[in-house]
């Protein structure tokens, strides 16, 4: 537990404004240059009012009207016919309230999330919503409609909102829904020309003209607010981590023809075209969402093929992706990130994956969230998560057993049984309690003797749920 006289990174970011100078804009730009990425050496506060590490989830099977099916070949109309618009949008209001934390109504919460430039009125504000248009897994129309409606409720003109995925098929996927599921006059675009914009150091990268244009050799950023709406799917290439979430979603914002490395994802997502001048309190990317109503085990085409019934929302892309991998893709889809890639991404944003503040992060349950701090604390372990028992004994080959555990139920016991059901070892849980992510067993019985090779049963009790898994020990 942190001592009272110490300040955590999270507390520091809540009370400190970063004064680092913004990226300089030159008069001309080269093509994207290959160089070592220059990640942040310390974490920076992205949104002026919302904690970087705050990520909320809505887990509700009522948001869809069908069980898992493979959507391969299904039209957008067919896929969206299975989405329960009213329930999705009701839950998104709850997510906004939970994310904004101290706001009592959805209207106030959305207005806290969306940051407009101080020099503009709301009817002058321009907005871009980045969607994922590749393959068959796309953000559901009900999600996009809710975002557009809330922006319009803030005072943004519908014609100042653009839904896009540069160089993709955004228009063919979403145009038919404008005025029929998405507010009238909202624009949908695939983008056209690309403009060279700076990333870090002397690097540049081409960006869609939806976000940037060149005027007399100077870069002018086109949109005041950027919303990143990704889906939950995998990727065949390992160098970016093997998953496609909000960081990877911006490959449809910049012009890269091949799958980038984790290091390049960091550079792309830290550029001013995407983040804006967040140091002054006016971020461009104000919100990141993962539509995981259904998820795809594979990708990048990735047909939705797994029921996950979830929406994820936060303001800081790497943290949103980290939790989506650790709490959805790994335990539910059995699709772990490629070793080392999450560490690389978090490190590039000034975080250490081994820091307890990061390692112990969890979704906040928007559906049970309360502004009452006591009640709110109970909502933090809302989703199924994975407990891993690792064998540390030198007597046996390395072995590992993983279990998906129910949401708010803390683990009350963790037993090793023989095949007749007799207790071999009762693993002490006092150091785990609420968060059983990695539990170790030394291969000994309750009398401190190494057990024999063979088959054993791991029995976990969490609330009213009892899970059993087989564990084989081999010399």
């Amino acid at each position: 537990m942190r001592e009272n006289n110490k300040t955590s990174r999270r507390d520091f970011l809540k009370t400190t404004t970063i004064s680092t100078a913004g990226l300089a804009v030159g008069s001309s730009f080269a093509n994207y240059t290959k160089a070592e990425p220059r990640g942040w050496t310390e974490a920076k506060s992205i949104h002026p009012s919302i904690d970087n590490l705050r990520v909320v989830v809505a887990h509700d099977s009522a948001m869809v009207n069908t069980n898992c099916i493979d959507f391969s070949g299904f039209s957008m109309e067919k896929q969206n016919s299975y989405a329960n618009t009213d329930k999705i949008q009701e839950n998104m209001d709850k997510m906004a309230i939970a994310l904004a934390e101290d706001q009592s109504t959805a209207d106030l919460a959305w207005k806290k999330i969306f940051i407009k430039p101080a020099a503009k009125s709301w009817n002058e504000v321009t907005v871009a919503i980045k969607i994922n248009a590749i393959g068959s897994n796309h953000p559901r129309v009900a999600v996009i409609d809710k975002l557009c409606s809330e922006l319009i409720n803030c005072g943004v003109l519908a014609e100042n909102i653009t839904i896009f995925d540069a160089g993709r098929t955004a228009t063919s996927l979403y145009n038919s829904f404008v005025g029929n599921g998405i507010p009238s006059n909202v624009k949908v675009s695939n983008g056209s020309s690309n403009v060279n914009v700076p990333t870090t150091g002397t690097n540049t990268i081409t960006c869609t003209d939806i976000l940037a244009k060149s005027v007399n050799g100077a870069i002018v950023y086109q949109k005041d607010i950027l919303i990143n709406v990704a889906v939950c799917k995998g990727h065949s290439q390992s160098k970016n981590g093997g998953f496609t979430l909000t960081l990877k979603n911006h490959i449809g914002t910049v012009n890269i023809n091949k799958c980038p490395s984790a290091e390049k994802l960091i550079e792309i997502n830290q550029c001013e075209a995407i983040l804006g001048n967040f140091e002054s309190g006016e971020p461009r990317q104000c919100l990141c969402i993962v539509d995981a109503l259904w998820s795809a085990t594979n990708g990048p085409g990735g047909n939705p093929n797994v029921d996950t019934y979830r929406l994820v929302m936060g303001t800081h892309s790497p943290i949103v992706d980290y939790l989506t991998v650790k709490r959805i893709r790994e335990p539910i889809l059995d699709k772990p990130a490629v070793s080392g890639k999450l560490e690389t991404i978090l490190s590039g944003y000034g975080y250490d994956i081994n820091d307890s503040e990061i390692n112990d992060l969890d979704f906040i349950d928007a559906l049970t969230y309360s502004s009452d701090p006591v009640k709110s604390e109970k909502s933090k372990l809302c989703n199924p998560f994975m407990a891993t028992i690792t064998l540390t004994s030198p007597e046996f080959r390395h072995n590992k057993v993983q279990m998906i555990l129910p949401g708010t139920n803390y683990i009350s016991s963790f037993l090793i049984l023989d095949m007749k059901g007799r207790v071999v070892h009762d693993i002490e849980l006092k150091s785990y309690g609420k968060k059983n992510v990695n539990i170790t067993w030394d291969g000994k019985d309750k009398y401190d003797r190494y057990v024999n090779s063979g088959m054993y049963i791991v029995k976990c009790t969490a609330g009213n749920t009892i899970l059993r898994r087989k564990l084989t020990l081999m010399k």
Side-chain angles (χ1 to χ4, degrees), residues 204 284 331 404 427 452:
T204 64
R284 194 177 332 280
I404 298 174
I427 295 179
N452 296 323

Side-chain angles (χ1 to χ4, degrees), residues 348-369:
Y349 281 88
Y351 297 103
D352 182 351
I353 200 169
N354 295 313
D355 188 322
S356 61
E357 195 165 35
I358 297 297
N359 197 38
D360 290 346
L361 279 178
D362 211 336
F363 288 138
I364 294 166
D365 186 355
L367 304 189
T368 61
Y369 172 76

Side-chain angles (χ1 to χ4, degrees), residues 259-309:
C259 177
S261 64
E263 291 83 357
K264 290 299 180 282
L265 286 182
I266 297 167
E267 281 194 87
I268 292 164
N269 282 272
Q270 287 181 357
C271 75
E272 188 175 358
I274 290 171
L275 285 186
N277 189 9
F278 62 92
E279 287 116 343
S280 69
E282 294 185 352
R284 194 177 332 280
Q285 184 166 271
C286 295
L287 188 63
C288 299
I289 293 175
V290 177
D291 178 343
L293 294 176
W294 297 283
S295 296
T297 52
N298 300 314
N303 302 316
N305 63 345
V306 179
D307 291 325
T308 38
Y309 307 135

Side-chain angles (χ1 to χ4, degrees), residues 433-444:
K434 300 178 181 179
K435 286 284 296 181
N436 291 268
V437 175
N438 190 19
I439 300 170
T440 59
W441 177 39
D442 60 7
K444 295 180 179 180

